[in-house]
Amino acid sequence: MSILKNLPQRKDEQYPSMIIAGAREHGEQPHELANKIFSEMRGDFRYKEFVLGCLNCGECTTGCPAARFYDFSPREMLQVAMSDDPDVLLDAMQEKIWACCQCYTCNMRCRFGNDIAGIISVMRELAVRNGLESAKEVLKPASRSLLKVMTHGTQVSPDMIQPDFFIDWDPKAVSKTGDLIALRKAIPIDVLQVTDSSWEVSMQTALELAQIYEESGVLDMLRSLDPDLVEMIVDIISDWKDEFEEMKEKFGI
Amino acid sequence: MICLASPRILVIGGGPAGLSASIDLFEAGADVVLVEKEDVLGGTPKKLHYSLIAPDLKPVEEVLDPLIRQVESSAVTKKLGTVVSAIENGNGHVNVTFTSNGGKEEAVFDAVILATGFTHWDPHKKYEYGYGVYPDVIDFKDFEKMLSDDNLARPSNGKMPARIGWLLCVGSRDRQVGKFYCCRVGCAVSIKQAMEVKKKHPEIDTYIYYMDIRTYGFWEDQLYWKAMEDLNVKFIRGRIGAISKGDEGSLVAMAEDTILQRPSEVPFDMLVLTTGMEASQGTVEMAKLLGLEMEEHGFVRPLEADSLPVHTTVENVFVAGTATGPKAIPDAITEGSAAAIKAFNYVRRSRGKKATGRSMKKDARAYAE
Amino acid sequence: MKMLSADQIREVVKARSEKRAVSDKKVMDIREEMWNLHDKGEIIVIPIEKKNKPVTVRTLFGWEKKVPTDHLWHHKSCGQCGNIPGYPASLLWFMNQFGTEYLNEPHQTSCTAWNYHGTGTSNPVALAAVAVRNWHRAYETGTFPLIHCGTSYGDYKEMRKLIVENKEVRDKVRDIMHHMGKELTIPEEIVHYSEWVHVMRDRMAAMSKYDLSNVTATVHEPCHYYKMVPEDAIYDESVHGGQRPAPPTALMISLGAKVADYSTWYDCCGFGFRHILTEREFTRSFATLRKIKPMVEEAHSDVAITTDTGCVTTLDKSQWIGKVHGMEFMVPVLADVQIAALAAGAHPYKIVQLHWHASPTEKLMEKMGIDYTAYKNDFMKYLEQIKNGGEIEYLYTPHREMEKYFAVNKGQVLPEGMKSRTG
């Protein structure tokens, strides 16, 4: 009973629940941050759509690429999502959620119709939004592509594929530094003849994307993860806005 | 005026339920016609050559042949190789058109018992298992026939398998294929099959992959426990998520052992898919001709699933066996008898009244009283 | 074990009774509700019109899907443009051969879903708004979006479902669109380029100059093509008995190649979104051990064919490092449209851009009868010419300078505060 008392009040009695973890000491409260994240997950409109129930058949884990190499299983992640213990959730959000490959094999296999890859994405969003140290650590190497996507709207650029970063790729395939510009020009598609973006994204388009990120709250979300990165993005966009106005004049628009 | 003619009752389907209904109706004094689209009686268990029948593990012949012989030797009118092609139901009369190789024929009845049964779910629809791609992946009706023929051989090379696996709930309890329900018999039949194998060939390894074992009532100790204790049948709690090919012509069953919580990959010589039950094409077609309501799983809806299980939503149509949902053979036989007495009494009671063949949806309770 | 060719598999399946023509899964067809919302004026459906010359195909449950084949708007893919440029170039090359009208503009962002699936740094409203912004560009130019990337294709179907089902998201996205003078538009179908290739496969095969009958191919089916929204992928009873998606196997059969089965056909490639960038010991191990090894050792594959950006990248680039462990598979990895272009006589370097691939393609070309040395010399000459400021060859007339900045159409900038038709 004492364990049950410590559980947060559920807002909706319809939540499926299969695990009441009892590892906590008598009277000990769940972590405050865990409680916050727990109620945010349960309050997300996707939770009820994605998490239905579980027959524990294990078919999801059978097809899971990550389960072959990491201490990770989609069945466990679904059980975590259904657990009424916030600490169980927070614990899984430190490392395990990042093992998922988002290949959706589990979803296609799941005979109950759960969206397991989807609920893992929700957990990742929560890890970022709440600025978990583990999320910062895990996503540190992704900051280059984050900056790219937030400003250029494309996620990888030819000049990113360099031997220092892709040391295990065939050097012939990456060290095109010397003639990268010529090789890009030898692609018979004009918008691909750039090196700092997958394709040339027009300034109006980039500014519209920035507006979407701003209005949908993604920039705020990113602030808890990496405030410096957000600063950088805001600066770039602000410069572009000025340049855009100049160009309007130049082209008489 | 009291009409002295015998109730004229049509039984559609010559499986366990239809056989038992025909016998009881005949013995009660009804004028019975039994129509069966196959050329032989006995229904799916005989047509597909089932082997031993749970719970007493008697051969299918011992269970069903006495019923068949009783019908054959009786004055029940048997119409084999015949289908019902049209039905008109009104004014207490059911006008039925039969079609066979011999042409068309019409007859009038007072009531109908529908016993058109089920079909095994087609495992082609579950791509993960490669049924139809890998010859040694078979379904449990194929395997039942192998046992019945005493010809245990891998389809790929005709050799005796050294290790056989069963995967339960294929096409059952699965939203992905729209089959939400349990087939009720798959666990028992698969365990029974493994026991048959082990009794004859103790050297063959047998593994059953399951998420729940549902061996109702006496099947628990007679099958499930016995299989483990006496015959060394192995049970793995976790479903095979995919079947793939392995070395030297073997199959690899990939699963998560959910007890040990680790992935498991086991080579097999043969894998048996325990497929679920769905309403047979005959059930669906006849229900349409008779104007019966279907329930959400695609079977015929009984008037009241709890208290009027053999009545349908049309007052002079009764139903027995797997047309209303998955069932074991003994249950189908019991329901055949139940439908027989309900149909017989209905006709006796309604004689002199003007029956309409009306829908029974609203006044079910009033009718039952 | 004896390998079964696709044809043999087909025979085996034929021999068994019923096929998976129509599955009975109870899934709502989201497209019906989408049209209801269109009728109510909540959204605008971008229709597939006669000018789009649609071809009807069947999906998993036997549902019909229209694949437009003309007047297309190319929705480019980050990885394709970034490191497999021969992928979009081959596609555009074919469209030029067929006289297909298309736009390939700078006024497109990616779907941003690679980033989302890797890092979780986005949210449903943002993802949906990004999708609609791109769709709208096709709408305002009178073209129909053709999605190059498997992840964009899967993501856009999820976004379509989200917008149709969730009023709150729908309203928010519509607001954001109105702020940019755009409407809330959704295309009638979400169409992957491989579906275009699938319906054009016989016309492509008719152009064949080189023979593929000596070539054994293995097919890797991209996860986000058929696992994310399974009911919308193309299946055909003549391909693997309808038990596996039809593209690109059907194309390979049309081109005359042998398609070999292998045990891990359903596995993902190991891309992992996050893993390919920052956890590559996983990616390269998975790709090599679970995909490449069975493709080569079981199926004796001359080439691996797939239909998505991430899969080509992962399977192609993960092989080289295998040398460390004595695994020198070096099987070429190409997109369906690339091998079709090679067979049809497209320049292996100027169009198919094979020099961007890590795993050697020469042996494959030799088997097909392509004199790659001549092409290589030709390309090296061309590269020198470019370095010296010489003329550049294009598949279409390059955009004007002002389009680096403005999403203009027919010389007009979009009117600001355009009067809304939805709301």
Side-chain angles (χ1 to χ4, degrees), chain C residues 5 25 33 37 68 72 80 100 129 141 158 176 208 274 367 383:
Chain C
S5 73
K25 184 180 174 186
E33 188 51 30
L37 289 173
L72 299 166
Q80 284 177 28
T100 310
T141 54
E158 287 203 321
I176 295 176
S208 277
R274 194 177 74 80
K367 273 202 161 183
L383 213 53

Side-chain angles (χ1 to χ4, degrees), chain A residues 51-122:
Chain A
V51 180
L52 305 173
C54 177
L55 300 169
N56 277 298
C57 72
E59 283 194 58
C60 51
T61 302
T62 306
C64 176
R68 287 181 182 274
F69 287 81
Y70 300 97
D71 176 17
F72 171 85
S73 112
R75 187 174 62 84
E76 184 195 354
M77 295 314 287
L78 190 71
Q79 292 295 332
V80 164
M82 291 196 299
S83 165
D84 281 350
D85 187 334
D87 283 346
V88 167
L89 175 66
L90 185 59
D91 187 44
M93 281 174 56
Q94 301 302 339
E95 249 180 65
K96 289 196 172 175
I97 51 167
W98 299 107
C100 168
C101 290
Q102 293 282 300
C103 70
Y104 282 62
T105 309
C106 51
N107 285 27
M108 195 179 181
R109 295 270 169 86
C110 178
R111 47 179 50 223
F112 215 83
N114 294 299
D115 187 343
I116 310 169
I119 198 66
I120 291 171
S121 279
V122 173

Side-chain angles (χ1 to χ4, degrees), chain B residues 107-124:
Chain B
V108 179
F109 298 92
D110 300 307
V112 176
I113 292 177
L114 186 67
T116 38
F118 77 103
T119 184
H120 290 286
W121 190 77
D122 174 12
H124 280 107

Side-chain angles (χ1 to χ4, degrees), chain B residues 28-212:
Chain B
D31 190 356
V32 189
V33 172
L34 172 61
V35 57
E36 165 59 53
K37 71 172 183 331
E38 303 293 333
D39 292 328
V40 288
L41 293 174
T44 304
K46 288 284 282 187
K47 183 185 164 192
L48 298 178
H49 303 278
Y50 285 7
S51 179
L52 306 183
I53 303 301
D56 292 342
L57 304 193
K58 281 198 285 192
V60 70
E61 292 77 18
E62 262 181 60
V63 178
L64 291 183
D65 286 4
L67 292 179
I68 295 170
R69 274 197 297 274
Q70 253 182 295
V71 169
E72 279 172 348
S73 61
S74 72
V76 168
T77 309
K78 277 86 57 183
K79 289 180 175 296
L80 299 182
T82 306
V83 295
V84 172
S85 53
I87 293 174
E88 263 176 70
N89 191 3
N91 292 326
H93 298 300
V94 193
N95 294 302
V96 176
T97 309
F98 298 106
T99 305
S100 66
N101 277 342
K104 284 193 179 186
E105 199 186 333
E106 282 187 32
V108 179
F109 298 92
D110 300 307
V112 176
I113 292 177
L114 186 67
T116 38
F118 77 103
T119 184
H120 290 286
W121 190 77
D122 174 12
H124 280 107
K125 293 176 187 171
K126 209 61 191 163
Y127 79 94
E128 296 95 321
Y129 304 138
Y131 181 78
V133 177
Y134 307 126
D136 293 330
V137 177
I138 61 175
D139 73 0
F140 81 150
K141 66 170 165 29
D142 305 337
F143 194 72
E144 196 69 22
K145 182 163 188 315
M146 269 188 197
L147 291 171
S148 157
D149 295 349
D150 197 14
N151 175 30
L152 198 56
R154 300 175 61 188
S156 62
N157 61 11
K159 287 185 186 152
M160 177 78 85
R163 186 181 286 152
I164 309 175
W166 280 260
L167 173 59
L168 307 187
C169 306
V170 176
S172 298
R173 308 173 67 200
D174 186 351
R175 276 205 174 97
Q176 296 283 356
V177 295
K179 297 294 174 204
F180 310 142
Y181 51 93
C182 164
C183 80
R184 296 180 65 112
V185 300
C187 296
V189 174
S190 306
I191 294 171
K192 181 225 67 163
Q193 290 183 342
M195 290 168 78
E196 276 191 64
V197 169
K198 288 299 259 188
K199 274 182 187 165
K200 277 190 189 157
H201 310 281
E203 73 283 3
I204 295 180
D205 287 332
T206 52
Y207 288 83
I208 293 179
Y209 288 83
Y210 71 101
M211 55 180 167
D212 298 293

Side-chain angles (χ1 to χ4, degrees), chain A residues 45-210:
Chain A
F45 74 90
R46 291 167 289 181
Y47 182 80
K48 265 193 259 180
E49 287 174 27
F50 290 2
V51 180
L52 305 173
C54 177
L55 300 169
N56 277 298
C57 72
E59 283 194 58
C60 51
T61 302
T62 306
C64 176
R68 287 181 182 274
F69 287 81
Y70 300 97
D71 176 17
F72 171 85
S73 112
R75 187 174 62 84
E76 184 195 354
M77 295 314 287
L78 190 71
Q79 292 295 332
V80 164
M82 291 196 299
S83 165
D84 281 350
D85 187 334
D87 283 346
V88 167
L89 175 66
L90 185 59
D91 187 44
M93 281 174 56
Q94 301 302 339
E95 249 180 65
K96 289 196 172 175
I97 51 167
W98 299 107
C100 168
C101 290
Q102 293 282 300
C103 70
Y104 282 62
T105 309
C106 51
N107 285 27
M108 195 179 181
R109 295 270 169 86
C110 178
R111 47 179 50 223
F112 215 83
N114 294 299
D115 187 343
I116 310 169
I119 198 66
I120 291 171
S121 279
V122 173
M123 290 184 205
R124 286 179 174 184
E125 280 179 41
L126 287 170
V128 170
R129 209 157 64 209
N130 285 284
L132 296 191
E133 285 306 318
S134 53
K136 289 180 187 170
E137 194 59 36
V138 165
L139 297 181
K140 209 179 269 169
S143 55
R144 274 214 295 183
S145 58
L146 263 174
L147 178 65
K148 195 62 83 180
V149 73
M150 297 282 164
T151 52
H152 286 71
T154 71
Q155 299 161 100
V156 69
S157 59
D159 62 8
M160 274 166 73
I161 304 170
Q162 294 302 325
D164 58 336
F165 200 61
F166 290 84
I167 197 161
D168 56 345
W169 286 10
D170 183 354
K172 285 202 299 298
V174 286
S175 51
K176 297 183 187 306
T177 326
D179 42 15
L180 187 62
I181 292 168
L183 279 168
R184 293 302 290 185
K185 278 190 178 157
I187 303 167
I189 301 174
D190 62 343
V191 295
L192 264 58
Q193 296 172 342
V194 286
T195 55
D196 63 344
S197 182
S198 300
W199 63 86
E200 180 156 36
V201 175
S202 67
M203 193 170 269
Q204 181 181 336
T205 303
L207 290 174
E208 284 175 352
L209 180 71

Side-chain angles (χ1 to χ4, degrees), chain C residues 8 12 63 133 147 314 399:
Chain C
Q8 286 168 315
V12 174
W63 295 351
R133 204 213 65 81
I147 320 291
T314 305
H399 291 82

Side-chain angles (χ1 to χ4, degrees), chain A residues 187, chain C residues 80 84-91 337-338 351-353 356-357:
Chain A
I187 303 167
Chain C
Q80 284 177 28
I84 332 159
Y87 202 148
S90 299
L91 184 64
V337 70
Q338 287 181 294
I351 299 297
V352 191
Q353 301 268 324
W356 293 86
H357 291 245

